Amino acid sequence: MGQNDGRDEERPAHRVTVAPFRLCRYQVSNAHYAAFRLFDYQRAELPVTSVSWFDASEFCAWLSRQWGCEVRLPTEAEWEFAARGGLEQKLYPWGDRPVTDRPRYAERWREGSEPVAQSEPNGYGLFDMCENVHEWCSDWYDPTYYAVSPAENPQGPPTGSRRASRGGAWRHQIKIARCAARSSIPPEFRYADYGFRVAM
């Protein structure tokens, strides 16, 4: 986990073990979210955006009741493990080739997010890892956490003022993030390039 030649908050790279878990193949879409909380949307297949961390957590609690099992947001460690798709210490879910080598990269995300699953899945069959919209994680965020992170199932610091998020988003100049890239915003914020996917 992490990247020694990355940004300060991505260091040090360190080995982490996560317990078995499941992660949704897709970012939660407008159609999925509308089943939980009716709202107006133009395209059902787009990832839901402008949801706060609290909104995403409430969706997970609702889905837990629907399915009769615990559904939650992934931890940062789980998300990064899943994003790598079995490729250890590679920059992106597909390896080290630059993002500009991705099919149609220069044509994509010109005005907003795209329908989910427009790119090839990674080695674990997960779509849109590191791209399309940022994804909320369960952890509080601390840029120095890796220096004290436990090796087994890290859950993030116990408190904080910002929640962790992962992945790239359409609003950035570089549209696809590295697997190790970390980001965060206050949990009450709702941004047009922030969505989520669920874990269990």
Side-chain angles (χ1 to χ4, degrees), residues 3-197:
Q3 185 177 330
N4 282 331
D5 61 352
R7 296 167 60 94
D8 289 348
E9 67 269 18
E10 298 164 18
R11 298 181 230 160
H14 55 293
R15 188 163 293 279
V16 167
T17 300
V18 293
F21 68 101
R22 293 181 177 181
L23 188 67
C24 188
R25 296 181 72 194
Y26 310 104
Q27 294 163 339
V28 172
S29 70
N30 283 329
H32 297 141
Y33 196 77
F36 157 64
R37 180 174 289 162
L38 294 176
F39 71 106
D40 292 329
Y41 61 83
Q42 294 183 338
R43 298 178 65 185
E45 71 278 13
L46 290 177
V48 68
T49 56
S50 300
V51 288
S52 70
W53 184 92
F54 297 107
D55 296 330
S57 296
E58 287 175 16
F59 177 88
C60 290
W62 171 80
L63 198 57
S64 296
R65 295 190 295 272
Q66 301 298 309
W67 287 356
C69 57
E70 183 193 5
V71 178
R72 56 180 175 76
L73 295 173
T75 65
E76 276 200 270
E78 289 171 335
W79 195 98
E80 185 169 329
F81 175 85
R84 293 185 182 280
L87 300 178
E88 200 166 301
Q89 286 298 294
K90 298 295 184 181
L91 291 176
Y92 303 103
W94 61 84
D96 290 329
R97 293 190 330 274
V99 297
T100 51
D101 282 1
R102 296 284 277 171
R104 299 177 30 252
Y105 176 81
E107 306 165 22
R108 301 181 66 188
W109 302 297
R110 294 206 171 163
E111 297 179 3
S113 61
E114 293 186 350
V116 298
Q118 296 299 293
S119 297
E120 289 294 314
N122 73 1
Y124 292 151
L126 304 171
F127 292 89
D128 304 315
M129 300 300 290
C130 298
E131 62 188 70
N132 211 17
V133 294
H134 295 298
E135 299 180 24
W136 287 112
C137 293
S138 61
D139 314 41
W140 287 109
Y141 178 77
D142 178 351
T144 65
Y145 181 65
Y146 285 4
V148 297
S149 171
E152 299 284 330
N153 289 315
Q155 305 290 307
T159 60
S161 60
R162 301 166 73 91
R163 289 286 184 176
S165 58
R166 288 302 194 103
W170 61 268
R171 283 207 310 190
H172 294 277
Q173 182 179 359
I174 299 174
K175 310 295 186 184
I176 303 176
R178 292 171 292 105
C179 293
R182 305 176 70 201
S183 53
S184 68
I185 59 172
E188 67 273 15
F189 282 20
R190 293 183 173 102
Y191 283 168
D193 59 348
Y194 260 72
F196 67 103
R197 74 177 74 213

